[in-house]
Amino acid sequence: AERHSDFNVLPEHFPVVGEALLWAVGNALEERWVTEVKSAWEAVWGTIVSVMEPALREANLARMSDADKTRLLVEESWGVVEQDLEATGVAFFLKIFEIAPAALQLFGFKDETPLSESAGLKLHATLVMRTVGTAVAGLKDIQSLVPTLVELAQRHSGWDVLPEHFPVVGEALLWAVGNALEERWVTEVKSAWEAVWGTIVS
């Protein structure tokens, strides 16, 4: 795995290699490629991948700059979060209102109950999470992302959003992402998200 890191091999290449390997072995065995033999090879390939994939990932990370490592960790973890943007978005806003109850008064859905089931909250939460996704996608080119973030800040100035709200939003965002990632919310991933949030705020 470490040697293959030098050849730009990525974890997403494993399924292709596995399919090709099993096909080649089956082709060589011909009529002896029965179900139990195929199952045995699938099990062995699964074991190989379970060892090589994390080793390859670690090797790839070790070769990256700090900025690229941060970007990769955030992109990978966002891939998990975006599987249910609405749930993560609702959790994000409910956390904001838990930390700063007065913030709820800034939103048109403030009187909808129960708040967790509010259609207005769900819609707004999903839109905000999509914006976060845009920011994550833009990490490859921060300079191109800046105008989007500036425009977003300008729009929020009309909604009585103040600089002192950023710590609350950041705390809630990191909590919501961590909640979605569960056991994958490890120290290096959290640190990467903290760094990206710092960039967004700056």
Side-chain angles (χ1 to χ4, degrees), residues 17-92:
V17 175
E19 182 180 347
L21 175 63
L22 267 64
W23 176 87
V25 172
N27 187 60
L29 290 177
E30 296 178 339
E31 73 280 356
R32 288 165 292 187
W33 187 241
V34 295
T35 301
E36 63 179 352
V37 174
K38 181 180 180 182
S39 296
W41 273 91
E42 288 173 339
V44 168
W45 176 248
T47 300
I48 291 171
V49 172
S50 71
V51 175
M52 287 189 66
E53 189 169 345
L56 177 64
R57 182 176 181 277
E58 289 302 315
N60 286 341
L61 286 174
R63 296 170 62 241
M64 292 180 174
S65 66
D66 288 343
D68 284 343
K69 186 183 298 184
T70 293
R71 177 179 57 78
L72 178 64
L73 289 170
V74 169
E75 287 176 345
E76 286 182 344
S77 55
W78 183 252
V80 176
V81 174
E82 68 179 352
Q83 292 173 18
D84 194 344
L85 289 183
E86 181 183 286
T88 302
V90 169
F92 164 63

Side-chain angles (χ1 to χ4, degrees), residues 136-159:
V136 170
L139 293 175
K140 293 185 177 72
D141 186 358
I142 293 294
Q143 293 308 309
S144 296
L145 179 60
V146 168
T148 300
L149 296 177
V150 169
E151 190 271 336
L152 186 63
Q154 291 170 341
R155 277 195 284 124
H156 277 75
S157 70
W159 300 328

Side-chain angles (χ1 to χ4, degrees), residues 78 81-82 84-94 96-97 106-107 109 119-137 145 148-149 152 155-156 159 161 166 168-170 172-174 176-177 193 197 200:
W78 183 252
V81 174
E82 68 179 352
D84 194 344
L85 289 183
E86 181 183 286
T88 302
V90 169
F92 164 63
F93 275 99
L94 292 179
I96 287 178
F97 304 144
L106 298 173
F107 297 92
F109 49 76
L121 170 57
K122 289 180 177 180
L123 176 60
H124 188 68
T126 301
L127 291 174
V128 169
M129 287 298 105
R130 286 177 182 165
T131 301
V132 174
T134 297
V136 170
L145 179 60
T148 300
L149 296 177
L152 186 63
R155 277 195 284 124
H156 277 75
W159 300 328
V161 175
F166 281 106
V168 173
V169 174
L173 177 63
L174 267 63
V177 171
W193 274 93
W197 177 248
I200 291 172

Side-chain angles (χ1 to χ4, degrees), residues 149 153 163 165-167 169-170 194-202:
L149 296 177
H165 294 155
F166 281 106
V169 174
E194 289 173 339
V196 167
W197 177 248
T199 298
I200 291 172
V201 171
S202 70

